[in-house]
Amino acid sequence: MESGGESTIQLDRAFPIVKRRWLPASVVFAAIFTVFYIAAQKDRPVYIAEGEILIEKVSSTPSVTGVGSEVGLLDPLTKENSPLDTEAEIISSVPIVEQTIAALQLKNSEGKLVEYSDVLKNLKLSKVQSSDILTISYQDENPKKAATFVNSLIEVYLEDDILRKRAELTATREFIEAKLPDAEYTLSQAEQELRQFKEENNFFALQEEAAAATQLMTGLQQRITDTQSQIASTNSRYNALQNQLGMNPKQAAQRTVISQSTAIQEARQQLQEAEAQLAVEKTRLTENHPTIIDLQDKVATLRSMLQSRVGDVSGSLKSIGNLEFSQMEQELTQELVSLESERQGLNSQISALAQLQSGYQERLNVLPQLEQEERRLERQLELAQATYSQLQQKLQEVRLAESQSLGNASLVSPALVPDKPISKKSLYQAMGIFLGGLAGVATALLLEVQDRSIKSVGEAKAQLQFALLGVIPQVRKSNRLLGHRRSIPQIIVRDNPRSLISEAYRMLQTKLKFACAEQSVKTIVVTSAIAKEGKSTIAANLAAAISQVGRRVLLVDADLRRPLQHEIWNLGNEMGLGNTISGQVDFHLALQPTMPNLDVLTAGTLAPNPIALLDSQRMVSLMEEFADRYDFIILDAPPLNVAADASILGKMSDGILWVVRPGVADSTSTTVAREIVEQSRQTVLGVVINGAIGENEYSYDRAQRSVYA
């Protein structure tokens, strides 16, 4: 037993449990064995016929067709089963078995065809280990009938297997034939879409076109770079000439036109000659001379004519001096006009190259999208081609497999007529012994689990977890210690001092002495969790054992509710502890000597309120008087779970001696009592196991008992 009310059974404790519960276990064993024994007597010998079939993993279609690896493949849908399990279920299915029954015309005693369930009871299918072979066995009282049934069942199954495979292949062929037109149409659509896409986008090889466009783009970029370099050089020369001449290209063009005009040059020459003649005449003649006046008019006329001709050519002329050019100026002016014309040509060339480059770039930008669409259409075409080709190939394979009509199963060994019957009597008896024994043990363990009592010393130690001071063996009812039976607890230490039980009490006294060696212990309260655990017997015999070693002992019956010490010692109970506490009598007068060094103070007259007497100052004073007069005071107190008397007395004493009796105390009451002790902070000196059963429950074995008896 474990604390907390939970019960568990360990394997190493099974034998003692069965030994304790031998009667109900024997009854269950006998009942089950009797049932199997009667069944064995009614059993009649039967004959078992066996046949074997091979379940192939693939069909036997020739491998050249490619069907052998797929058509008829027996793959399980789940990992837990195998193809053999599936085929076994098919063999034992209702249609197969009923066809066999009908073929053999198997009838029962009433002349009707036997039922499927009746046949299934005698039919068994099993796998041959590490193989693909199924064994089919059938038992019957008639050996020939058993063999015939197995062979007929195999024949029906093999025929059904071929029909099933043929039906599967036919369904597959019809499915492929229905899908072929759709696959062909899909292939045609894919080819048409790819061709139409290439025609609409005007290409047939995107990768080659992309490579050529990239190469052209590189050449155009190089030409644009070279032209930009020429423009930079021309602009530099142009700006230098413009700054040197101080005119723009338009003015330079006008000057070039003027310098190259014959009429203007003739008018200019005539004007220069007239001006030279006027200058010569002015040196000889006066201003009012008619010659001077005519020359001045001629110069003015020529100047006006020159300006008119220049205006006709250029549209503007500020002075006659503008018409005078040196040879260098004329050359520079012509070069400036030429550079302007070259600049315009280079700019036009760059514009044309940039426009051409932009066109190619737009094409390159579109090529990835076109290529992606082309790949999609090509994949679609490849998929359609593969689907169509695969359907064509599978159609040929299925047609060939359908024409062969082969199944997955084949006969390995037919069933032979058995010559020896099989009797199940020994099997029934063995099963009866095994199941009866198992049920008996289970019954014992179940009763043990339901029983919450403490049954052994080990359980008591585990339950209380206090020091074990002694184990007192059980006094068997057959024992006669004084030549007659006792109906009340016995003073074994006094009446039979050479017995093993007396030695157990002496060992308890010795262990108690050693356990209390470090502290002075004089007053001990002997109690238990519940009644009937033998605390009064333990208190009386312990007091006797201590007195026998020369210590003065006082045994006080502090159980004012159900006192027992006066009956154990065969004493009167007219005056006792209750009368002493209430002041009716002096405790010296209430003491009763029983043995040398041992006095007993009985409970006396029962009081209506024992707690009020025990929990009084008078009781404290009495305890002090007891301690002054005696070496040991042993108080026999009521159980812890019955009343608070033991807790009150424990506070007045040096410690509690806890008595536990296996078979009487239970885990629940013991747990409650332990909580009471812990809550009241009592000092527990140790535990005494009373009434231990079995040779392994205490220190003396049979050899020792024979020596010291």
Side-chain angles (χ1 to χ4, degrees), residues 25-38 436:
S26 300
V27 172
V28 172
F29 172 81
I32 294 178
F33 180 77
T34 301
V35 171
F36 278 91
Y37 182 79
I38 294 174

Side-chain angles (χ1 to χ4, degrees), residues 467-470 504-526 538 542-543 545-546 551 632-634 654-658 684-688:
L468 180 62
L469 296 181
Y505 279 110
R506 295 187 185 97
M507 290 184 66
L508 170 62
Q509 178 264 331
T510 304
K511 288 185 178 180
L512 182 63
K513 176 182 178 181
F514 292 153
C516 303
E518 297 181 357
Q519 54 181 344
S520 177
V521 176
K522 296 186 65 175
T523 306
I524 300 174
V525 175
V526 180
I538 298 296
L542 178 61
I546 297 175
R551 311 293 293 275
F632 265 90
I633 301 96
I634 297 178
D654 296 323
I656 292 176
L657 185 63
W658 194 322
V684 178
L685 301 176
V687 177
V688 178

Side-chain angles (χ1 to χ4, degrees), residues 328-370:
M328 183 176 292
E329 287 179 345
Q330 291 181 7
E331 293 176 357
L332 293 175
T333 301
Q334 291 178 359
E335 185 179 356
L336 181 61
V337 173
S338 176
L339 288 174
E340 176 63 20
S341 177
E342 185 179 354
R343 286 179 60 211
Q344 292 179 359
L346 291 173
N347 287 329
S348 298
Q349 185 178 357
I350 286 181
S351 178
L353 291 173
Q355 186 175 1
L356 185 60
Q357 186 185 37
S358 176
Y360 279 111
Q361 186 63 46
E362 290 179 0
R363 181 65 174 175
L364 284 175
N365 292 338
V366 175
L367 286 180
Q369 298 179 359
L370 296 177

Side-chain angles (χ1 to χ4, degrees), residues 41 51 68 88 122 127 162 186 203 208 290 384 445 456 462 472 517 520 565 590 598 606 610 626 655:
Q41 298 304 317
N122 300 323
K127 296 183 292 185
I162 293 175
T186 303
F203 76 90
E208 290 78 1
L445 296 180
S456 64
I472 309 300
S520 177
Q565 292 297 333
L598 175 60
L606 299 183
F626 296 160

Side-chain angles (χ1 to χ4, degrees), residues 25 101 204 432 463 485 641 674:
I101 294 173
F204 292 95
Q463 182 74 22
R485 297 182 182 269
N641 293 354
R674 180 179 176 183

Side-chain angles (χ1 to χ4, degrees), residues 86-269:
T86 303
E87 295 303 311
E89 290 297 326
I90 294 175
I91 294 173
S92 60
S93 63
V94 175
I96 302 297
V97 174
E98 287 187 347
Q99 288 182 37
T100 307
I101 294 173
L104 296 177
Q105 288 295 304
L106 297 178
K107 297 181 180 181
N108 54 22
S109 58
E110 299 177 357
K112 299 180 180 180
L113 292 178
V114 297
E115 297 291 336
Y116 165 77
S117 57
D118 296 333
V119 173
L120 198 62
K121 294 177 182 178
N122 300 323
L123 180 63
K124 180 181 179 182
L125 291 93
S126 59
K127 296 183 292 185
V128 178
Q129 189 174 5
S130 303
S131 69
D132 296 327
I133 296 177
L134 270 178
T135 300
I136 303 174
S137 59
Y138 186 78
Q139 65 179 18
D140 196 278
E141 296 178 4
N142 188 334
K144 186 176 180 180
K145 184 178 179 181
T148 303
F149 181 85
V150 172
N151 291 327
S152 299
L153 181 65
I154 293 176
E155 182 179 352
V156 171
Y157 165 71
L158 293 178
E159 183 178 356
D160 179 77
D161 182 59
I162 293 175
L163 293 176
R164 281 188 292 112
K165 293 299 176 290
R166 183 181 298 172
E168 292 175 6
L169 292 171
T170 302
T172 304
R173 175 180 55 77
E174 293 175 353
F175 173 79
I176 295 175
E177 290 175 347
K179 289 297 181 182
L180 262 178
D182 296 337
E184 186 176 2
Y185 176 77
T186 303
L187 176 60
S188 177
Q189 286 293 107
E191 292 175 345
Q192 184 178 354
E193 288 181 6
L194 181 59
R195 182 177 63 256
Q196 184 178 357
F197 172 73
K198 289 184 177 181
E199 292 175 354
E200 289 177 355
N201 293 278
N202 194 22
F203 76 90
F204 292 95
L206 282 178
Q207 294 183 353
E208 290 78 1
E209 182 179 352
T214 303
Q215 187 176 2
L216 287 173
M217 287 285 294
T218 304
L220 287 174
Q221 184 63 40
Q222 184 63 37
R223 291 180 61 184
I224 290 174
T225 302
D226 295 342
T227 304
Q228 288 176 346
S229 177
Q230 294 178 10
I231 291 176
S233 177
T234 303
N235 286 337
S236 177
R237 179 64 179 161
Y238 172 80
N239 292 331
L241 287 175
Q242 190 175 10
N243 293 333
Q244 184 177 357
L245 294 174
M247 62 181 69
N248 54 36
K250 184 178 181 181
Q251 293 172 345
Q254 291 176 353
R255 278 201 173 192
T256 302
V257 172
I258 292 172
S259 64
Q260 294 177 355
S261 177
T262 306
I264 294 175
Q265 293 301 326
E266 289 178 354
R268 177 174 170 272
Q269 185 176 3

